[in-house]
Amino acid sequence: LTQSVLLVATLGQPAGFDKNEIFRVAELKDAEQLPEEATGYDALNALVIAGPYDLDRKRNDALRDWVRLGGHLVISVGSEVEAYRLGPLATWMPVPSRGQFRLRALGGLEAFADNSTRIPIPVGVRTIQAAQIGPINGQVLIGSLNGPLLIRVPFGFGQVTVLGIDLN
């Protein structure tokens, strides 16, 4: 790849990561495919986790060290608040999850994405399960009446971005 092409790894099959001219995607099927050492992440521009959150100790420590050294971790929580809260990521993650709420519209997310198209909500679904995230010492990128929906926080030299809805 040329340096202008971003390399993103995904875990948990988040939607919307199709190969294009801007980035390439390495789809990981399960957490065992994650590196056991921080240097194993060095080729990535970002790692996106949309579940599972149950990493073993070596992978959890390696991921934490990679982010601390400058990596960018993106976490999608949504309906999996308990799995996130009880998983090993929560032991070092600078973004707590306090519960869930129902979200009726995705206008804030659509505006943030600078996209004139609406984000499709499945037929028959009136609301989307969202995670209440925070409080944080970081930047709220998208807010809602029930608190932040998308936030970015520094972690060492890196950053963690947390989205309160499911990407998958």
Side-chain angles (χ1 to χ4, degrees), residues 30-145:
D30 59 49
E32 290 182 6
Q33 290 184 293
L34 290 170
E36 292 182 343
E37 296 184 20
T39 55
Y41 294 93
D42 284 349
L44 297 179
N45 294 93
L47 171 64
V48 178
I49 298 179
Y53 311 105
D54 57 339
L55 309 182
D56 63 40
R57 184 174 177 202
K58 282 184 104 169
R59 287 174 175 85
N60 185 54
D61 291 349
L63 182 57
R64 180 200 60 224
D65 293 346
W66 173 70
V67 175
R68 183 178 286 140
L69 293 170
H72 186 182
L73 176 62
V74 179
I75 299 276
S76 166
V77 181
S79 61
E80 299 294 328
V81 170
E82 283 304 306
Y84 170 74
R85 190 182 320 179
L86 298 174
L89 290 173
T91 62
W92 61 269
M93 191 71 64
V95 181
S97 177
R98 300 175 293 148
Q100 294 180 308
F101 67 95
R102 304 296 287 175
L103 186 65
R104 294 181 184 270
L106 299 175
L109 189 58
E110 292 165 347
F112 179 80
D114 196 28
N115 192 345
S116 59
T117 10
R118 301 206 33 102
I119 296 173
I121 296 176
V123 176
V125 175
R126 300 189 120 170
T127 60
I128 294 175
Q129 194 74 17
Q132 284 186 308
I133 48 181
I136 58 148
N137 290 323
Q139 181 181 15
V140 175
L141 301 173
I142 302 173
S144 76
L145 294 174

Side-chain angles (χ1 to χ4, degrees), residues 145-168:
L145 294 174
N146 296 349
L149 190 59
L150 179 66
I151 58 176
R152 185 176 300 138
V153 296
F155 187 76
F157 290 110
Q159 60 186 342
V160 176
T161 302
V162 178
L163 178 62
I165 62 172
D166 292 321
L167 283 175
N168 52 2

